Amino acid sequence: MPLIGYARVSTEDQTPLPQSEALQSAGCTEIFEEHASGGNRARPVLARVLERIGKGDTLVVVRIDRLARSLSHLLEVIEKLEGKGAFFRSLQDPIDTASPQGKFTLQVLGAAAEFERALIRERTKAGLASARSKGRVGGNPGLRAKDPEALRKVRLARQDGYMERLNETAQDWVPHVRRLRPDLAWEDVLRIINGPLPHDRRWTQSRLLRAVKAYVADGFLPAEVLGRAGRRETDDRLPAIVAAIKGADPEITLQAICDRLESMRERTPRGRTSWQPSSVRMLLERAEKLGLL
């Protein structure tokens, strides 16, 4: 079973070298290093590691706090690994989900986290009941009074939370939008984005447009991506879609493109639902002649 190491330090001044050496001594065949705060869940290197890990692999860290600063985040990562049939091990903590003892420790941690959440809920309910009995009303006084400054702060907080959630999924859609818009219509861009994604992570057009507008407003995407798509000849549409898939992954095989087109429910030039590599090759050749590749 391949061991994949993950080493993290918080600042550029620190070095992950001691962690990497410990991981190498433990037998890790690959080691990923990252400079990022442990409180930030949207770490790009960690996201690549979790995407890279496959069935039977084991993610290894020196200590739990190198992976997660909260129990909820730790359990979230381990749940993702279990969903892939992978395991987790901490060299300096008694957690190895490939062993019965490690699984037991994890179950204890999960029970402790649920117990802590239940206590918080009970304390919150008791506090609210006590306040109501004394005639106090919960909530923000500024919001109750519709104070403009209080309302502005709430809007900004909500926007920050929304942008943080978008950043966690940016790798799914930003590269496609940046590369394909406004050359392709939103309907086609949406289908290309959703093609490789599991059902529960797929986008709707309204959600995607809202996300793109937010990124344009913050300067993360150029305003041109919101421009109106130009008219495209019917014969050019399929070559453009195939070129977009190829452009996103230059090493993708013809059969993989066939699978992607079928998952998008895109019909062949002859109207069939089943694609063949020869049809994809023909469309790629046409795309090259049109200057799409």
Side-chain angles (χ1 to χ4, degrees):
M1 297 190 300
L3 303 180
I4 298 174
Y6 174 74
R8 181 192 63 79
V9 290
S10 299
T11 67
E12 294 292 338
D13 296 334
Q14 298 173 311
T15 174
L17 182 58
Q19 294 178 53
S20 297
E21 290 176 344
L23 293 169
Q24 188 173 12
S25 299
C28 291
T29 55
E30 291 183 78
I31 297 174
F32 295 82
E33 298 179 350
E34 184 160 41
H35 290 77
S37 168
N40 179 15
R41 297 193 180 193
R43 289 174 243 153
V45 175
L46 178 59
R48 287 202 302 272
V49 173
L50 295 177
E51 188 71 25
R52 153 76 180 80
I53 283 181
K55 185 176 181 180
D57 293 347
T58 299
L59 175 63
V60 185
V61 296
V62 174
R63 295 191 312 275
I64 289 177
D65 66 349
R66 297 302 88 197
L67 177 67
R69 284 287 181 85
S70 68
L71 182 55
S72 61
H73 188 206
L74 173 65
L75 295 174
E76 177 186 321
V77 171
I78 293 177
E79 184 178 353
K80 288 180 181 178
L81 294 173
E82 289 181 339
K84 289 188 161 193
F87 306 100
F88 171 73
R89 181 189 304 172
S90 174
L91 299 181
Q92 296 183 13
D93 302 289
I95 295 184
D96 181 352
T97 60
S99 70
Q101 296 88 345
K103 289 182 178 178
F104 175 74
T105 303
L106 188 60
Q107 289 171 353
V108 171
L109 287 174
E114 180 56 35
F115 180 63
E116 181 181 7
R117 287 192 293 268
L119 287 178
I120 292 172
R121 287 195 296 268
E122 290 301 318
R123 286 197 295 266
T124 301
K125 289 179 182 177
L128 290 174
S130 175
R132 282 194 295 268
S133 69
K134 296 175 182 178
R136 294 200 300 268
V137 180
N140 188 319
L143 294 181
R144 291 200 303 274
K146 296 186 178 180
D147 177 66
E149 181 61 20
L151 293 172
R152 186 185 71 85
K153 288 181 179 179
V154 169
R155 283 196 299 270
L156 290 175
R158 288 177 177 172
Q159 179 66 13
D160 287 345
Y162 176 63
M163 294 301 292
E164 185 175 340
R165 293 193 300 274
L166 282 185
N167 293 341
E168 294 176 358
T169 62
Q171 70 276 7
D172 292 340
W173 56 277
V174 170
H176 294 293
V177 170
R178 190 187 300 275
R179 190 166 42 84
L180 302 179
R181 286 289 305 164
D183 294 331
L184 282 185
W186 283 112
E187 293 85 353
D188 292 329
V189 173
L190 182 69
R191 294 164 76 189
I192 291 170
I193 290 172
N194 283 338
L197 297 179
H199 186 74
D200 60 344
R201 283 174 55 194
R202 291 184 178 177
W203 294 75
T204 63
Q205 187 165 323
S206 59
R207 267 188 66 219
L208 179 62
L209 281 172
R210 183 190 174 199
V212 171
K213 288 175 181 178
Y215 261 44
V216 168
D218 274 13
F220 296 138
L221 282 171
E224 289 77 14
V225 300
L226 292 172
R228 187 171 181 176
R231 283 185 169 272
R232 186 175 291 281
E233 297 294 331
T234 304
D235 290 346
D236 292 352
R237 180 177 169 277
L238 279 176
I241 290 175
V242 172
I245 296 172
K246 180 73 173 176
D249 182 5
E251 303 301 321
I252 193 171
T253 64
L254 295 177
Q255 184 57 54
I257 296 178
C258 290
D259 297 340
R260 183 75 60 81
L261 290 168
E262 289 176 7
S263 72
M264 293 166 56
R265 298 187 178 181
E266 193 69 54
R267 290 185 175 271
T268 69
R270 296 186 179 182
R272 297 172 181 169
T273 57
S274 179
W275 281 81
Q276 299 297 323
S278 57
S279 299
V280 172
R281 185 183 296 108
M282 176 190 68
L283 290 173
L284 286 173
E285 291 172 354
R286 178 164 176 74
E288 192 168 0
K289 290 179 182 178
L290 292 171
L292 301 174
L293 286 174

